[in-house]
Amino acid sequence: MSYELLGIIVLWIFLYGYLIVASVDFGAGFFSYYSEITGNKQLIQPMIERYLSPVWEVTNVFLIFFMVGLIGFFPDTAYYYGTSLLIPGSIAVILLAIRGSYYAFSTYGAKNNRFYLFLYGASGWLIPAALSTVLIISEGGFIKVINGDVQFQYMELFTSSYAWTVVGLALISVLYISSMFLSYYAYKAKDHKAFEIVRKYALAWSLPTIVASFLVFFSIRNHNVEHFEKMVDLSWMFVISFICFIVAVYFVWKRKKLGWAFVFVMFQFAFAFFGYGASHLPYILYPYINIHEHFTNQTMAIALVTVFILGLLLLVPSLYLLMRLFLFDIKYVQGNKNPQK
Amino acid sequence: MFSTYDPVIFSRLLTSLTLAFHIIFATIGVGVPVMIALAEWIGIKRNDSHYLLLARRWARGFTITVAVGVVTGTAIGLQLSLLWPKFMQVAGQSIALPLFMETFAFFFEAIFLGIYLYTWDRFKNRMTHFYLLIPVVIGSSASAFFITIVNAFMNAPQGFDVDVLTGKIINVQPLVAMFNPATPTKVAHVLISAYLTSAFVLAGVAAISILRGRKHVYYKKALKLTMVSALIFSIGTAIIGDLSGKYLAEYQPEKLAAAEWHFETTDQAPLVIGGILTENNEVKYGLKIPLALSILAHGSPDAEVTGINDLPKDEIPPLWIHYMFDLMAIIGVTLMLIALTYVVGQRFGRWNVHNKGLLKLIVLGGPLAMLAIEFGWIFAEVGRQPWILRGYMKTTDAATTSGHVDIMLIVFALLYIVLGFTCVKVIRKMFKNYPAEEEIASKGGEVK
């Protein structure tokens, strides 16, 4: 396999990882606030906190990793995306900043501060929409290069139906992924009351998610025919994704095999996301940046891949330890091992 | 203030603002884990629950600062590409390796910090919990190490060639780029000054408590631990600071000359402290220490030090960095003296080291140390102007051409004000509502 293909696959895996863990995290913040205003606070919040507190910082690293890796492997992305994304990128940064800090403020510091909880919940829900701008402009049509200067077409973005369908999918799927995860977590914790609540959330958001996915699929046709045709060539991946969705929702509906239900949610998004990614190749930014012509120099590529492998040797056992202690430790999940008072 | 929109100026302002804010939390993020580790280790070794509690309470406050550190770090990470796209394009080719490694260090730290904070009472052997802190310390110091390498590269770029015809970067040698001449002194100075600052900030917290009439031995133990550490770190900072001066004389003479208002190339050069510069570039009212600059630069009073007049005019940094250098150095010396007074007094003196005067100085030491960090960074960064990559790329050529950087500057300024304000408020509330005496009592300890 060529280095550039390896590079983009590694980055795509990390972006996928971020998509899953961040959705769980962002959606949980939203539900945490929602439970506060609907009066289910006592049922939902301790559970969410138990899962999120040890992992929230890790979530952020996935994003940084993707970004640094993208610039490392494909340095020209810094120039094009950097110049064009000033406003959407800054909005994402601000939302991330508000969310991260107010999460910590409301979890470790000023408990029961409704306003902090609101900032944390609302900002988290909007971050995926802000970040999805990167995917939107990667389809092309939103950037013009005039005399060597990159110029972002804001009006094109705001009037694009494609852009809005992606934003819609981002907003909805966050709630779907998150509530599916919380269902699993509550089920495992044998917290039946919490489970019934989050199960309702999960089922409620499942249909909108699939509708939004279809809308994105078809709106690519209007926006970038070339890409759409490649997606049709890979349509089997999207079909598998849909089947995984059905299985996941079925399990939740029947209140059984909740662990498998979430695994199928992960498959659902994996197939859709990698199908989308594979059909997008070779372009990173259509039509300006592709993985072959804008790859970094050979030496740096080898260095990055080497460090990546060494890094994984460090990360995988560490992540395993983290999950063993907080995700797969039944006593901890059930709240019998209390975190620090 | 600015009549015309210039993306370069606004990009510089916004980057400075974000970094200035981030550095406060980054410094704490690098230094405090070391102090927590020290306290927990002493606590376990001496079987002294006060030190264990100290580690625990520091860790609790630390989570809040880590959160702000992480989010502002994310901000500067993204802003580098948003505000300096052409620089990042070059950096991606040449210096991506330490940037990439930094994310691994950060990952490592994040994972183990999460585990550490939530497993205080989960292991039978207390050392198991202590060991969890080691990766946190390694991770936080390693991320400072790698990110400072990137900065060192901007000061002393090497390990690549520029193709004369295409202007493209060729013959990249990632390790040569990483271990450039600026790396050793920069990294060492950043790390040890972060440890020093954190020790002083924590000492200040203990000193405030004692000043407010808290009499428990817990506070005295906290003060002793932090002040002894501060003395060691301040001596280290001074030694490495001296080596940094020698680095500058060798590789970045324009930065040293501007910092010292040294115009004519001479031997036996004096060091100037303070003063003002007249229109004819004459130094007035400054305190001149004979020979000191030659010693700082080359380790010998007879050594020749390059002056500003012998360097290209358009490559001279702004001369006001002189004040930044002075303030940083004066604060460094002051901190060392404060720590020395405490340690000598505590060990050999017959007077009470918990007297109001010294305690007040220690309290002042925390913010002063933080200011020295800021001054030092301003000196280092403005001192390499007009370059973003010294000798290769000017700052003006690297900035974004995008509109609206001015609006972003205002928005981010507001964000940092709000974050800073809430952060202080939350931390104060955390400790005010639950003082150490109460926590000691709740764990079955005695209240004195």
Side-chain angles (χ1 to χ4, degrees), chain A residues 53 67 71 76 101-102 108 116 297 325 329, chain B residues 70 78 81 89 93 117-118 122 403 411 419 422:
Chain A
S53 300
M67 214 176 61
I71 290 165
D76 291 342
S101 33
Y102 280 89
Y108 304 107
Y116 290 2
N297 56 77
L325 286 169
D329 184 318
Chain B
V70 169
L78 282 160
S81 299
Q89 202 176 10
Q93 295 274 357
L117 291 174
Y118 285 89
R122 235 172 123 169
V411 174
L419 282 188
T422 338

mmCIF file with all atom_site columns, all heavy atoms in Angstrom, chain A residues 53 67 71 76 101-102 108 116 297 325 329, chain B residues 70 78 81 89 93 117-118 122 403 411 419 422:
data_model
loop_
_atom_site.group_PDB
_atom_site.id
_atom_site.type_symbol
_atom_site.label_atom_id
_atom_site.label_alt_id
_atom_site.label_comp_id
_atom_site.label_asym_id
_atom_site.label_entity_id
_atom_site.label_seq_id
_atom_site.pdbx_PDB_ins_code
_atom_site.Cartn_x
_atom_site.Cartn_y
_atom_site.Cartn_z
_atom_site.occupancy
_atom_site.B_iso_or_equiv
_atom_site.pdbx_formal_charge
_atom_site.auth_seq_id
_atom_site.auth_comp_id
_atom_site.auth_asym_id
_atom_site.auth_atom_id
_atom_site.pdbx_PDB_model_num
ATOM 1   N N   . SER A 1 53  ? -16.619 11.568 33.033 1.00 0.00 ? 53  SER A N   1
ATOM 2   C CA  . SER A 1 53  ? -15.552 12.253 33.752 1.00 0.00 ? 53  SER A CA  1
ATOM 3   C C   . SER A 1 53  ? -14.162 11.739 33.413 1.00 0.00 ? 53  SER A C   1
ATOM 4   O O   . SER A 1 53  ? -13.273 12.527 33.146 1.00 0.00 ? 53  SER A O   1
ATOM 5   C CB  . SER A 1 53  ? -15.809 12.179 35.248 1.00 0.00 ? 53  SER A CB  1
ATOM 6   O OG  . SER A 1 53  ? -17.026 12.795 35.530 1.00 0.00 ? 53  SER A OG  1
ATOM 7   N N   . MET A 1 67  ? -6.224  16.523 13.131 1.00 0.00 ? 67  MET A N   1
ATOM 8   C CA  . MET A 1 67  ? -5.812  17.794 12.537 1.00 0.00 ? 67  MET A CA  1
ATOM 9   C C   . MET A 1 67  ? -4.309  17.845 12.293 1.00 0.00 ? 67  MET A C   1
ATOM 10  O O   . MET A 1 67  ? -3.857  18.196 11.205 1.00 0.00 ? 67  MET A O   1
ATOM 11  C CB  . MET A 1 67  ? -6.184  18.867 13.535 1.00 0.00 ? 67  MET A CB  1
ATOM 12  C CG  . MET A 1 67  ? -6.599  20.131 12.967 1.00 0.00 ? 67  MET A CG  1
ATOM 13  S SD  . MET A 1 67  ? -7.066  21.095 14.381 1.00 0.00 ? 67  MET A SD  1
ATOM 14  C CE  . MET A 1 67  ? -5.542  21.151 15.287 1.00 0.00 ? 67  MET A CE  1
ATOM 15  N N   . ILE A 1 71  ? -2.252  17.800 8.576  1.00 0.00 ? 71  ILE A N   1
ATOM 16  C CA  . ILE A 1 71  ? -1.256  18.780 8.139  1.00 0.00 ? 71  ILE A CA  1
ATOM 17  C C   . ILE A 1 71  ? 0.099   18.104 7.943  1.00 0.00 ? 71  ILE A C   1
ATOM 18  O O   . ILE A 1 71  ? 0.855   18.449 7.039  1.00 0.00 ? 71  ILE A O   1
ATOM 19  C CB  . ILE A 1 71  ? -1.178  19.934 9.151  1.00 0.00 ? 71  ILE A CB  1
ATOM 20  C CG1 . ILE A 1 71  ? -2.457  20.751 9.063  1.00 0.00 ? 71  ILE A CG1 1
ATOM 21  C CG2 . ILE A 1 71  ? 0.030   20.831 8.868  1.00 0.00 ? 71  ILE A CG2 1
ATOM 22  C CD1 . ILE A 1 71  ? -2.669  21.674 10.213 1.00 0.00 ? 71  ILE A CD1 1
ATOM 23  N N   . ASP A 1 76  ? -0.451  20.802 2.290  1.00 0.00 ? 76  ASP A N   1
ATOM 24  C CA  . ASP A 1 76  ? -1.191  21.832 1.553  1.00 0.00 ? 76  ASP A CA  1
ATOM 25  C C   . ASP A 1 76  ? -2.602  22.041 2.090  1.00 0.00 ? 76  ASP A C   1
ATOM 26  O O   . ASP A 1 76  ? -3.216  23.086 1.845  1.00 0.00 ? 76  ASP A O   1
ATOM 27  C CB  . ASP A 1 76  ? -1.257  21.474 0.067  1.00 0.00 ? 76  ASP A CB  1
ATOM 28  C CG  . ASP A 1 76  ? 0.119   21.591 -0.570 1.00 0.00 ? 76  ASP A CG  1
ATOM 29  O OD1 . ASP A 1 76  ? 0.988   22.254 0.032  1.00 0.00 ? 76  ASP A OD1 1
ATOM 30  O OD2 . ASP A 1 76  ? 0.330   21.011 -1.652 1.00 0.00 ? 76  ASP A OD2 1
ATOM 31  N N   . SER A 1 101 ? -14.534 23.723 29.053 1.00 0.00 ? 101 SER A N   1
ATOM 32  C CA  . SER A 1 101 ? -14.301 24.344 30.351 1.00 0.00 ? 101 SER A CA  1
ATOM 33  C C   . SER A 1 101 ? -15.564 24.317 31.212 1.00 0.00 ? 101 SER A C   1
ATOM 34  O O   . SER A 1 101 ? -15.478 24.062 32.402 1.00 0.00 ? 101 SER A O   1
ATOM 35  C CB  . SER A 1 101 ? -13.755 25.757 30.198 1.00 0.00 ? 101 SER A CB  1
ATOM 36  O OG  . SER A 1 101 ? -14.267 26.359 29.074 1.00 0.00 ? 101 SER A OG  1
ATOM 37  N N   . TYR A 1 102 ? -16.720 24.536 30.607 1.00 0.00 ? 102 TYR A N   1
ATOM 38  C CA  . TYR A 1 102 ? -17.925 24.532 31.441 1.00 0.00 ? 102 TYR A CA  1
ATOM 39  C C   . TYR A 1 102 ? -18.309 23.119 31.873 1.00 0.00 ? 102 TYR A C   1
ATOM 40  O O   . TYR A 1 102 ? -18.971 22.934 32.883 1.00 0.00 ? 102 TYR A O   1
ATOM 41  C CB  . TYR A 1 102 ? -19.081 25.279 30.770 1.00 0.00 ? 102 TYR A CB  1
ATOM 42  C CG  . TYR A 1 102 ? -18.888 26.760 30.966 1.00 0.00 ? 102 TYR A CG  1
ATOM 43  C CD1 . TYR A 1 102 ? -18.153 27.502 30.068 1.00 0.00 ? 102 TYR A CD1 1
ATOM 44  C CD2 . TYR A 1 102 ? -19.335 27.381 32.117 1.00 0.00 ? 102 TYR A CD2 1
ATOM 45  C CE1 . TYR A 1 102 ? -17.893 28.841 30.282 1.00 0.00 ? 102 TYR A CE1 1
ATOM 46  C CE2 . TYR A 1 102 ? -19.090 28.717 32.354 1.00 0.00 ? 102 TYR A CE2 1
ATOM 47  C CZ  . TYR A 1 102 ? -18.364 29.443 31.424 1.00 0.00 ? 102 TYR A CZ  1
ATOM 48  O OH  . TYR A 1 102 ? -18.103 30.765 31.663 1.00 0.00 ? 102 TYR A OH  1
ATOM 49  N N   . TYR A 1 108 ? -16.723 19.410 38.277 1.00 0.00 ? 108 TYR A N   1
ATOM 50  C CA  . TYR A 1 108 ? -15.808 19.368 39.414 1.00 0.00 ? 108 TYR A CA  1
ATOM 51  C C   . TYR A 1 108 ? -16.016 20.525 40.376 1.00 0.00 ? 108 TYR A C   1
ATOM 52  O O   . TYR A 1 108 ? -15.723 20.433 41.546 1.00 0.00 ? 108 TYR A O   1
ATOM 53  C CB  . TYR A 1 108 ? -14.363 19.407 38.925 1.00 0.00 ? 108 TYR A CB  1
ATOM 54  C CG  . TYR A 1 108 ? -14.029 18.323 37.957 1.00 0.00 ? 108 TYR A CG  1
ATOM 55  C CD1 . TYR A 1 108 ? -13.858 18.603 36.615 1.00 0.00 ? 108 TYR A CD1 1
ATOM 56  C CD2 . TYR A 1 108 ? -13.882 17.011 38.393 1.00 0.00 ? 108 TYR A CD2 1
ATOM 57  C CE1 . TYR A 1 108 ? -13.544 17.596 35.718 1.00 0.00 ? 108 TYR A CE1 1
ATOM 58  C CE2 . TYR A 1 108 ? -13.571 16.002 37.495 1.00 0.00 ? 108 TYR A CE2 1
ATOM 59  C CZ  . TYR A 1 108 ? -13.401 16.307 36.161 1.00 0.00 ? 108 TYR A CZ  1
ATOM 60  O OH  . TYR A 1 108 ? -13.094 15.321 35.277 1.00 0.00 ? 108 TYR A OH  1
ATOM 61  N N   . TYR A 1 116 ? -24.214 26.852 33.815 1.00 0.00 ? 116 TYR A N   1
ATOM 62  C CA  . TYR A 1 116 ? -23.010 26.162 33.339 1.00 0.00 ? 116 TYR A CA  1
ATOM 63  C C   . TYR A 1 116 ? -23.403 24.911 32.556 1.00 0.00 ? 116 TYR A C   1
ATOM 64  O O   . TYR A 1 116 ? -22.827 24.587 31.524 1.00 0.00 ? 116 TYR A O   1
ATOM 65  C CB  . TYR A 1 116 ? -22.104 25.756 34.509 1.00 0.00 ? 116 TYR A CB  1
ATOM 66  C CG  . TYR A 1 116 ? -21.415 26.891 35.220 1.00 0.00 ? 116 TYR A CG  1
ATOM 67  C CD1 . TYR A 1 116 ? -21.643 28.213 34.832 1.00 0.00 ? 116 TYR A CD1 1
ATOM 68  C CD2 . TYR A 1 116 ? -20.526 26.659 36.271 1.00 0.00 ? 116 TYR A CD2 1
ATOM 69  C CE1 . TYR A 1 116 ? -21.011 29.252 35.483 1.00 0.00 ? 116 TYR A CE1 1
ATOM 70  C CE2 . TYR A 1 116 ? -19.887 27.694 36.918 1.00 0.00 ? 116 TYR A CE2 1
ATOM 71  C CZ  . TYR A 1 116 ? -20.143 28.998 36.540 1.00 0.00 ? 116 TYR A CZ  1
ATOM 72  O OH  . TYR A 1 116 ? -19.517 30.022 37.178 1.00 0.00 ? 116 TYR A OH  1
ATOM 73  N N   . ASN A 1 297 ? 6.678   15.043 1.834  1.00 0.00 ? 297 ASN A N   1
ATOM 74  C CA  . ASN A 1 297 ? 7.869   14.386 1.298  1.00 0.00 ? 297 ASN A CA  1
ATOM 75  C C   . ASN A 1 297 ? 8.042   13.000 1.911  1.00 0.00 ? 297 ASN A C   1
ATOM 76  O O   . ASN A 1 297 ? 7.571   12.715 3.013  1.00 0.00 ? 297 ASN A O   1
ATOM 77  C CB  . ASN A 1 297 ? 9.108   15.259 1.544  1.00 0.00 ? 297 ASN A CB  1
ATOM 78  C CG  . ASN A 1 297 ? 9.263   15.577 3.019  1.00 0.00 ? 297 ASN A CG  1
ATOM 79  O OD1 . ASN A 1 297 ? 9.707   14.754 3.801  1.00 0.00 ? 297 ASN A OD1 1
ATOM 80  N ND2 . ASN A 1 297 ? 8.864   16.783 3.409  1.00 0.00 ? 297 ASN A ND2 1
ATOM 81  N N   . LEU A 1 325 ? -11.114 -0.044 33.327 1.00 0.00 ? 325 LEU A N   1
ATOM 82  C CA  . LEU A 1 325 ? -11.401 0.538  34.633 1.00 0.00 ? 325 LEU A CA  1
ATOM 83  C C   . LEU A 1 325 ? -12.764 1.229  34.691 1.00 0.00 ? 325 LEU A C   1
ATOM 84  O O   . LEU A 1 325 ? -13.394 1.268  35.723 1.00 0.00 ? 325 LEU A O   1
ATOM 85  C CB  . LEU A 1 325 ? -10.303 1.540  35.008 1.00 0.00 ? 325 LEU A CB  1
ATOM 86  C CG  . LEU A 1 325 ? -8.969  0.943  35.429 1.00 0.00 ? 325 LEU A CG  1
ATOM 87  C CD1 . LEU A 1 325 ? -7.915  2.024  35.519 1.00 0.00 ? 325 LEU A CD1 1
ATOM 88  C CD2 . LEU A 1 325 ? -9.108  0.247  36.766 1.00 0.00 ? 325 LEU A CD2 1
ATOM 89  N N   . ASP A 1 329 ? -15.732 -2.311 33.880 1.00 0.00 ? 329 ASP A N   1
ATOM 90  C CA  . ASP A 1 329 ? -15.726 -2.706 35.281 1.00 0.00 ? 329 ASP A CA  1
ATOM 91  C C   . ASP A 1 329 ? -17.147 -2.564 35.804 1.00 0.00 ? 329 ASP A C   1
ATOM 92  O O   . ASP A 1 329 ? -17.630 -1.456 36.018 1.00 0.00 ? 329 ASP A O   1
ATOM 93  C CB  . ASP A 1 329 ? -14.756 -1.819 36.070 1.00 0.00 ? 329 ASP A CB  1
ATOM 94  C CG  . ASP A 1 329 ? -14.654 -2.273 37.517 1.00 0.00 ? 329 ASP A CG  1
ATOM 95  O OD1 . ASP A 1 329 ? -15.701 -2.596 38.111 1.00 0.00 ? 329 ASP A OD1 1
ATOM 96  O OD2 . ASP A 1 329 ? -13.537 -2.264 38.055 1.00 0.00 ? 329 ASP A OD2 1
ATOM 97  N N   . VAL B 2 70  ? -6.595  22.578 28.150 1.00 0.00 ? 70  VAL B N   1
ATOM 98  C CA  . VAL B 2 70  ? -6.900  21.746 26.983 1.00 0.00 ? 70  VAL B CA  1
ATOM 99  C C   . VAL B 2 70  ? -7.648  22.551 25.926 1.00 0.00 ? 70  VAL B C   1
ATOM 100 O O   . VAL B 2 70  ? -7.295  22.518 24.751 1.00 0.00 ? 70  VAL B O   1
ATOM 101 C CB  . VAL B 2 70  ? -7.736  20.510 27.393 1.00 0.00 ? 70  VAL B CB  1
ATOM 102 C CG1 . VAL B 2 70  ? -8.289  19.799 26.172 1.00 0.00 ? 70  VAL B CG1 1
ATOM 103 C CG2 . VAL B 2 70  ? -6.896  19.551 28.213 1.00 0.00 ? 70  VAL B CG2 1
ATOM 104 N N   . LEU B 2 78  ? -5.628  24.947 16.408 1.00 0.00 ? 78  LEU B N   1
ATOM 105 C CA  . LEU B 2 78  ? -6.402  25.250 15.203 1.00 0.00 ? 78  LEU B CA  1
ATOM 106 C C   . LEU B 2 78  ? -6.027  26.608 14.624 1.00 0.00 ? 78  LEU B C   1
ATOM 107 O O   . LEU B 2 78  ? -5.949  26.794 13.420 1.00 0.00 ? 78  LEU B O   1
ATOM 108 C CB  . LEU B 2 78  ? -7.900  25.199 15.519 1.00 0.00 ? 78  LEU B CB  1
ATOM 109 C CG  . LEU B 2 78  ? -8.502  23.799 15.601 1.00 0.00 ? 78  LEU B CG  1
ATOM 110 C CD1 . LEU B 2 78  ? -9.807  23.806 16.379 1.00 0.00 ? 78  LEU B CD1 1
ATOM 111 C CD2 . LEU B 2 78  ? -8.764  23.262 14.211 1.00 0.00 ? 78  LEU B CD2 1
ATOM 112 N N   . SER B 2 81  ? -3.212  27.010 12.017 1.00 0.00 ? 81  SER B N   1
ATOM 113 C CA  . SER B 2 81  ? -3.556  26.805 10.607 1.00 0.00 ? 81  SER B CA  1
ATOM 114 C C   . SER B 2 81  ? -4.469  27.886 10.076 1.00 0.00 ? 81  SER B C   1
ATOM 115 O O   . SER B 2 81  ? -4.396  28.270 8.915  1.00 0.00 ? 81  SER B O   1
ATOM 116 C CB  . SER B 2 81  ? -4.232  25.451 10.420 1.00 0.00 ? 81  SER B CB  1
ATOM 117 O OG  . SER B 2 81  ? -3.368  24.431 10.808 1.00 0.00 ? 81  SER B OG  1
ATOM 118 N N   . GLN B 2 89  ? 1.918   25.228 6.096  1.00 0.00 ? 89  GLN B N   1
ATOM 119 C CA  . GLN B 2 89  ? 2.217   24.455 4.896  1.00 0.00 ? 89  GLN B CA  1
ATOM 120 C C   . GLN B 2 89  ? 3.695   24.038 4.915  1.00 0.00 ? 89  GLN B C   1
ATOM 121 O O   . GLN B 2 89  ? 4.029   22.882 4.670  1.00 0.00 ? 89  GLN B O   1
ATOM 122 C CB  . GLN B 2 89  ? 1.934   25.341 3.682  1.00 0.00 ? 89  GLN B CB  1
ATOM 123 C CG  . GLN B 2 89  ? 1.698   24.594 2.413  1.00 0.00 ? 89  GLN B CG  1
ATOM 124 C CD  . GLN B 2 89  ? 1.337   25.544 1.281  1.00 0.00 ? 89  GLN B CD  1
ATOM 125 O OE1 . GLN B 2 89  ? 1.451   26.767 1.407  1.00 0.00 ? 89  GLN B OE1 1
ATOM 126 N NE2 . GLN B 2 89  ? 0.906   24.995 0.173  1.00 0.00 ? 89  GLN B NE2 1
ATOM 127 N N   . GLN B 2 93  ? 5.692   20.176 6.096  1.00 0.00 ? 93  GLN B N   1
ATOM 128 C CA  . GLN B 2 93  ? 6.760   19.486 5.373  1.00 0.00 ? 93  GLN B CA  1
ATOM 129 C C   . GLN B 2 93  ? 7.962   19.207 6.262  1.00 0.00 ? 93  GLN B C   1
ATOM 130 O O   . GLN B 2 93  ? 8.647   18.215 6.104  1.00 0.00 ? 93  GLN B O   1
ATOM 131 C CB  . GLN B 2 93  ? 7.240   20.363 4.195  1.00 0.00 ? 93  GLN B CB  1
ATOM 132 C CG  . GLN B 2 93  ? 6.217   20.587 3.125  1.00 0.00 ? 93  GLN B CG  1
ATOM 133 C CD  . GLN B 2 93  ? 6.219   19.477 2.092  1.00 0.00 ? 93  GLN B CD  1
ATOM 134 O OE1 . GLN B 2 93  ? 7.024   18.566 2.153  1.00 0.00 ? 93  GLN B OE1 1
ATOM 135 N NE2 . GLN B 2 93  ? 5.290   19.550 1.148  1.00 0.00 ? 93  GLN B NE2 1
ATOM 136 N N   . LEU B 2 117 ? -7.322  10.508 38.516 1.00 0.00 ? 117 LEU B N   1
ATOM 137 C CA  . LEU B 2 117 ? -8.295  11.298 39.279 1.00 0.00 ? 117 LEU B CA  1
ATOM 138 C C   . LEU B 2 117 ? -9.442  10.460 39.821 1.00 0.00 ? 117 LEU B C   1
ATOM 139 O O   . LEU B 2 117 ? -10.057 10.822 40.813 1.00 0.00 ? 117 LEU B O   1
ATOM 140 C CB  . LEU B 2 117 ? -8.865  12.409 38.400 1.00 0.00 ? 117 LEU B CB  1
ATOM 141 C CG  . LEU B 2 117 ? -7.899  13.519 38.038 1.00 0.00 ? 117 LEU B CG  1
ATOM 142 C CD1 . LEU B 2 117 ? -8.543  14.471 37.052 1.00 0.00 ? 117 LEU B CD1 1
ATOM 143 C CD2 . LEU B 2 117 ? -7.465  14.273 39.290 1.00 0.00 ? 117 LEU B CD2 1
ATOM 144 N N   . TYR B 2 118 ? -9.720  9.329  39.169 1.00 0.00 ? 118 TYR B N   1
ATOM 145 C CA  . TYR B 2 118 ? -10.898 8.565  39.583 1.00 0.00 ? 118 TYR B CA  1
ATOM 146 C C   . TYR B 2 118 ? -10.572 7.253  40.269 1.00 0.00 ? 118 TYR B C   1
ATOM 147 O O   . TYR B 2 118 ? -11.422 6.373  40.376 1.00 0.00 ? 118 TYR B O   1
ATOM 148 C CB  . TYR B 2 118 ? -11.824 8.363  38.371 1.00 0.00 ? 118 TYR B CB  1
ATOM 149 C CG  . TYR B 2 118 ? -12.515 9.649  38.090 1.00 0.00 ? 118 TYR B CG  1
ATOM 150 C CD1 . TYR B 2 118 ? -11.953 10.595 37.253 1.00 0.00 ? 118 TYR B CD1 1
ATOM 151 C CD2 . TYR B 2 118 ? -13.690 9.974  38.763 1.00 0.00 ? 118 TYR B CD2 1
ATOM 152 C CE1 . TYR B 2 118 ? -12.548 11.819 37.072 1.00 0.00 ? 118 TYR B CE1 1
ATOM 153 C CE2 . TYR B 2 118 ? -14.290 11.191 38.592 1.00 0.00 ? 118 TYR B CE2 1
ATOM 154 C CZ  . TYR B 2 118 ? -13.711 12.111 37.744 1.00 0.00 ? 118 TYR B CZ  1
ATOM 155 O OH  . TYR B 2 118 ? -14.303 13.320 37.575 1.00 0.00 ? 118 TYR B OH  1
ATOM 156 N N   . ARG B 2 122 ? -9.158  3.108  44.935 1.00 0.00 ? 122 ARG B N   1
ATOM 157 C CA  . ARG B 2 122 ? -9.522  1.875  44.264 1.00 0.00 ? 122 ARG B CA  1
ATOM 158 C C   . ARG B 2 122 ? -8.481  0.773  44.391 1.00 0.00 ? 122 ARG B C   1
ATOM 159 O O   . ARG B 2 122 ? -8.764  -0.378 44.149 1.00 0.00 ? 122 ARG B O   1
ATOM 160 C CB  . ARG B 2 122 ? -9.776  2.161  42.791 1.00 0.00 ? 122 ARG B CB  1
ATOM 161 C CG  . ARG B 2 122 ? -11.151 1.689  42.358 1.00 0.00 ? 122 ARG B CG  1
ATOM 162 C CD  . ARG B 2 122 ? -11.452 2.156  40.973 1.00 0.00 ? 122 ARG B CD  1
ATOM 163 N NE  . ARG B 2 122 ? -11.762 1.033  40.105 1.00 0.00 ? 122 ARG B NE  1
ATOM 164 C CZ  . ARG B 2 122 ? -12.263 1.174  38.895 1.00 0.00 ? 122 ARG B CZ  1
ATOM 165 N NH1 . ARG B 2 122 ? -12.480 2.375  38.416 1.00 0.00 ? 122 ARG B NH1 1
ATOM 166 N NH2 . ARG B 2 122 ? -12.532 0.149  38.159 1.00 0.00 ? 122 ARG B NH2 1
ATOM 167 N N   . GLY B 2 403 ? -10.441 37.649 5.427  1.00 0.00 ? 403 GLY B N   1
ATOM 168 C CA  . GLY B 2 403 ? -11.064 38.776 6.109  1.00 0.00 ? 403 GLY B CA  1
ATOM 169 C C   . GLY B 2 403 ? -11.510 38.390 7.508  1.00 0.00 ? 403 GLY B C   1
ATOM 170 O O   . GLY B 2 403 ? -11.391 37.234 7.899  1.00 0.00 ? 403 GLY B O   1
ATOM 171 N N   . VAL B 2 411 ? -13.949 38.552 19.482 1.00 0.00 ? 411 VAL B N   1
ATOM 172 C CA  . VAL B 2 411 ? -14.715 37.430 20.013 1.00 0.00 ? 411 VAL B CA  1
ATOM 173 C C   . VAL B 2 411 ? -13.854 36.578 20.955 1.00 0.00 ? 411 VAL B C   1
ATOM 174 O O   . VAL B 2 411 ? -14.275 36.209 22.044 1.00 0.00 ? 411 VAL B O   1
ATOM 175 C CB  . VAL B 2 411 ? -15.263 36.564 18.851 1.00 0.00 ? 411 VAL B CB  1
ATOM 176 C CG1 . VAL B 2 411 ? -15.937 35.321 19.401 1.00 0.00 ? 411 VAL B CG1 1
ATOM 177 C CG2 . VAL B 2 411 ? -16.235 37.357 18.014 1.00 0.00 ? 411 VAL B CG2 1
ATOM 178 N N   . LEU B 2 419 ? -13.807 32.958 30.336 1.00 0.00 ? 419 LEU B N   1
ATOM 179 C CA  . LEU B 2 419 ? -13.209 31.718 30.835 1.00 0.00 ? 419 LEU B CA  1
ATOM 180 C C   . LEU B 2 419 ? -12.327 31.982 32.049 1.00 0.00 ? 419 LEU B C   1
ATOM 181 O O   . LEU B 2 419 ? -12.401 31.266 33.047 1.00 0.00 ? 419 LEU B O   1
ATOM 182 C CB  . LEU B 2 419 ? -12.357 31.055 29.754 1.00 0.00 ? 419 LEU B CB  1
ATOM 183 C CG  . LEU B 2 419 ? -13.064 30.286 28.650 1.00 0.00 ? 419 LEU B CG  1
ATOM 184 C CD1 . LEU B 2 419 ? -12.065 29.544 27.790 1.00 0.00 ? 419 LEU B CD1 1
ATOM 185 C CD2 . LEU B 2 419 ? -14.072 29.327 29.223 1.00 0.00 ? 419 LEU B CD2 1
ATOM 186 N N   . THR B 2 422 ? -14.519 32.866 35.147 1.00 0.00 ? 422 THR B N   1
ATOM 187 C CA  . THR B 2 422 ? -15.239 31.736 35.741 1.00 0.00 ? 422 THR B CA  1
ATOM 188 C C   . THR B 2 422 ? -14.271 30.758 36.384 1.00 0.00 ? 422 THR B C   1
ATOM 189 O O   . THR B 2 422 ? -14.572 30.185 37.430 1.00 0.00 ? 422 THR B O   1
ATOM 190 C CB  . THR B 2 422 ? -16.056 30.958 34.692 1.00 0.00 ? 422 THR B CB  1
ATOM 191 O OG1 . THR B 2 422 ? -16.300 31.796 33.583 1.00 0.00 ? 422 THR B OG1 1
ATOM 192 C CG2 . THR B 2 422 ? -17.349 30.478 35.260 1.00 0.00 ? 422 THR B CG2 1
#
